[in-house]
Amino acid sequence: ADVRELSHLWLSMAVPDIGSDFSVVAPPKSMPLWQFIVAGGVSGAVSRTATAPLERLKIMQQAAQARTSVRAIAREVVAKEGARP
């Protein structure tokens, strides 16, 4: 197989990765659709905002040369960059 055949095969098989736990939830009958959509958007934004700092600390711990705790890394980040509300 040449590069063109492989690229064509790869492009024809490309499917967006939506994860293994993807499911569609229908809004309750008592809730308007727009309210359901807004609630989903707000919950997604809150979950990303809450988990992003923790993910950063986890990655910093994984990349650290010495064995150190997440608490120590958090203190270091606050000391260097300050805490933002």
Side-chain angles (χ1 to χ4, degrees):
D2 65 353
V3 174
R4 285 186 185 174
E5 288 179 40
L6 290 174
S7 64
H8 178 70
L9 178 64
W10 181 79
L11 289 172
S12 66
M13 292 176 20
V15 177
D17 182 13
I18 55 174
S20 60
D21 58 348
F22 179 75
S23 63
V24 178
V25 178
K29 300 279 187 209
S30 62
M31 179 184 278
L33 181 62
W34 71 269
Q35 197 174 31
F36 184 74
I37 292 170
V38 169
V42 169
S43 68
V46 168
S47 71
R48 297 287 182 189
T49 303
T51 59
L54 298 174
E55 283 294 318
R56 180 175 180 217
L57 292 175
K58 180 186 81 171
I59 292 168
M60 291 176 74
Q61 182 188 30
Q62 291 171 344
Q65 296 296 326
R67 188 175 168 106
T68 183
S69 70
V70 173
R71 180 181 289 176
I73 293 172
R75 285 185 185 143
E76 182 181 333
V77 168
V78 170
K80 286 183 180 177
E81 302 176 18
R84 289 185 261 167

